Amino acid sequence: GIFVQANRHYGFITHNYIAWAGVNGINLNCAVNTPASPTYPVIRGWTIQDNYILHPSNNTTLNSATNVCDAASCLGTPRLTYQRNYIEDTYQTALDLGHNGDTSLVENNTITGTVRAISVLPQAGIRVTASCRAVVLQKNVIYNNTSSLFTGGIYIDGVKTSIANASTYNTANNTITLNNIHDNKGSGIVISNLNSSGGVTTGNLISQNSTYNNAGLGIDLGLANTSSSNGTTSVTINDDGDPDAGANTLQNFPILDSATITGFSLTVYGKGPAGATIEFFTCDGGINKFPSYTLNYGEGKNYLATGTEGSGADLASGVVAYSDVDGNSASTTKASKFQFIFTLTAAQKAAVSSLDSLTSTATLAGNTSEFGPQAIKFTVLSCQLLDLSGTYANRKTSLTWTAICDQKFNYFDVEFSSDGTHFSPVGRVPANYNNNQRAVYGFEYSGQGNAVGYYRLKIVDKQENYRYSNSIIIRIRESAEIIVGPNPASDFITVTIPSAKADVVQLTLFNALGSVLVNRQEALRAGSNVFTLQEPAQLSAGTYALRITRGDEVVSRQVIIRK
């Protein structure tokens, strides 16, 4: 259709209708040289936009086994801008970027209707290959490509080759974000092991894409067969050896333990690589067990939220080993616990209310994983308890907890036990709905008497459905020895903690809405320990709660800050 070769740069191909081309619809090829032209990439800075490309390579006189034809073939073309093009019924690839096509931008294109099969090279919507780096693929729509050999909506491989006199390096460090890829015969996004040239592709960031109803995986790492599609791909099972030598280092995905929705609040517990950025999605409901695993590895249809393991927003700490029926495994040095609480938008809440499962990806050093098993079901509660703590002073026990409750919730019953087994109600606290936001509750009890007391909450809705919280232990002697002062405070708080042995204590400061302001761990030595919190100097006047956690002992102190 349109052919640009060698030694041409900073041009525009725009608003064209190209149909029934015998070979490529648009061909920018620096490797094809005119006499006396250079051989390194100089077709740079081109803009290809707002074109309609229909039926490229629909020429029956050409041999279908060797007819490698794209809607747009752009080889040796760095700084390319390819946007708002509509491509239908291509024969090979809608857009093929390669041979040093660095720092290109591919956005807002529509690719659909690939129905004719060809097996010479990977048949895909967009392919990035042959020494391409830092390409951004965003906001493209790739759907309804039903060729039996269609491999992936977006396909990135590690072929390591270049045209003459140009550098040769791995295809790496590309960004795939905000694309909508659905109803294709192959996988949504493929990061391939196709590396016969010795190359490898890593550092490919995959973020906030919507993939659903594809025949393969939502994200597939390590695909080595260029004609694999329609379920012949394979899940890359988690192992304890990451980073691995492979596509995107065969990054481990997260393992989710629970997902709870209360009002507009989503709480997720799980485990994953330490320091990973974890993205959460609702699943498409499809069955993805390739080749024959037991768990279901879904596609991420609706992006919900992002959390970073180990950040201030991560409310869980520690490491844990895991294994499952499919062989996913990690030791305590490779899996870290996480807990995140997200506030959903009205649109997100509407989307998850009709779906039943959650999936996620993990990204480290730009390497994004496949989707983890979608074995998690959403639990929708009328009240979500975020924490429960208490302390004993002045011959009474003071309990404090934070919760998010909706209009279906009714009340909390506070229950006490002297042995940790047999509980009896000692008081009732009504709901504070607070528009589905966090609310702080409190209760005082003067009947403990024993040196050790156990407390829990019975959480009851208006239909008299109920569930119990975890129980906490209040020790009279040890709790009374913890001193917090000055109170009221203005610039700092001093916490004095006696300890009979070396131990660890967690100091957590909350505001009135239950948001965590300070969360730090300190080592205790035998004797008296004094810790100073300087954060009050930056806080506004008001009432705050300091939670002191040591082993199974949880102590809370109210702190007043005045300015």
Side-chain angles (χ1 to χ4, degrees), residues 447-529:
Q448 177 169 329
N450 297 336
V452 177
Y454 301 83
Y455 295 84
R456 71 182 185 186
L457 300 176
K458 184 178 181 181
I459 306 168
V460 186
D461 68 18
K462 291 181 179 178
Q463 302 299 317
E464 295 301 315
N465 299 312
Y466 65 88
R467 62 187 178 88
Y468 291 104
S469 72
N470 62 303
S471 60
I472 63 170
I473 301 173
I474 302 297
R475 289 185 171 88
I476 292 179
R477 182 181 58 82
E478 293 188 39
S479 298
E481 293 176 345
I482 296 176
I483 301 172
V484 177
N487 197 5
S490 58
D491 298 324
F492 66 91
I493 301 171
T494 297
V495 183
T496 303
I497 305 174
S499 181
K501 60 180 181 178
D503 205 342
V504 175
V505 66
Q506 192 81 21
L507 304 177
T508 310
L509 185 67
F510 301 88
N511 63 15
L513 296 178
S515 299
V516 176
L517 306 177
V518 179
N519 190 23
R520 58 191 258 197
Q521 190 176 80
E522 299 286 354
L524 295 174
R525 56 181 173 77
S528 181
N529 300 264

Side-chain angles (χ1 to χ4, degrees), residues 519-540:
N519 190 23
R520 58 191 258 197
Q521 190 176 80
E522 299 286 354
L524 295 174
R525 56 181 173 77
S528 181
N529 300 264
V530 179
F531 306 103
T532 301
L533 303 182
Q534 301 288 352
E535 286 80 4
Q538 283 76 48
L539 299 177
S540 57

Side-chain angles (χ1 to χ4, degrees), residues 18 36 101-102 188 268 344 376 410 417 431 521:
I18 303 170
D102 293 357
V268 182
L344 303 177
I376 285 299
N410 199 0
S417 171
Q521 190 176 80

Side-chain angles (χ1 to χ4, degrees), residues 41 78 98-103 129-134 157-162 166-173 197-201:
H99 298 302
N100 305 97
D102 293 357
T103 62
T129 183
S131 302
C132 272
R133 298 179 298 189
D157 60 62
V159 169
K160 187 176 182 180
T161 184
S162 178
S167 299
T168 300
Y169 39 72
N170 293 326
T171 301
N173 302 328
S197 60
V200 66
T201 180

Side-chain angles (χ1 to χ4, degrees), residues 317-399:
S317 60
V319 292
V320 63
Y322 67 82
S323 61
D324 61 29
V325 294
D326 282 346
N328 293 303
S329 63
S331 72
T332 56
T333 61
K334 297 295 182 180
S336 297
K337 295 186 289 184
F338 60 77
Q339 177 198 2
F340 297 108
I341 301 175
F342 304 110
T343 300
L344 303 177
T345 65
Q348 289 175 323
K349 175 67 182 300
V352 300
S353 64
S354 60
L355 298 171
D356 65 355
S357 53
L358 187 74
T359 189
S360 58
T361 62
T363 300
L364 273 177
N367 293 295
T368 302
S369 72
E370 296 179 353
F371 289 108
Q374 59 162 354
I376 285 299
K377 305 296 182 182
F378 288 113
T379 301
V380 180
L381 303 176
S382 61
C383 187
Q384 178 187 4
L385 182 68
L386 302 181
D387 61 63
L388 171 63
S389 61
T391 185
Y392 186 91
N394 299 322
R395 298 185 178 181
K396 62 184 178 181
T397 300
S398 298
L399 299 178

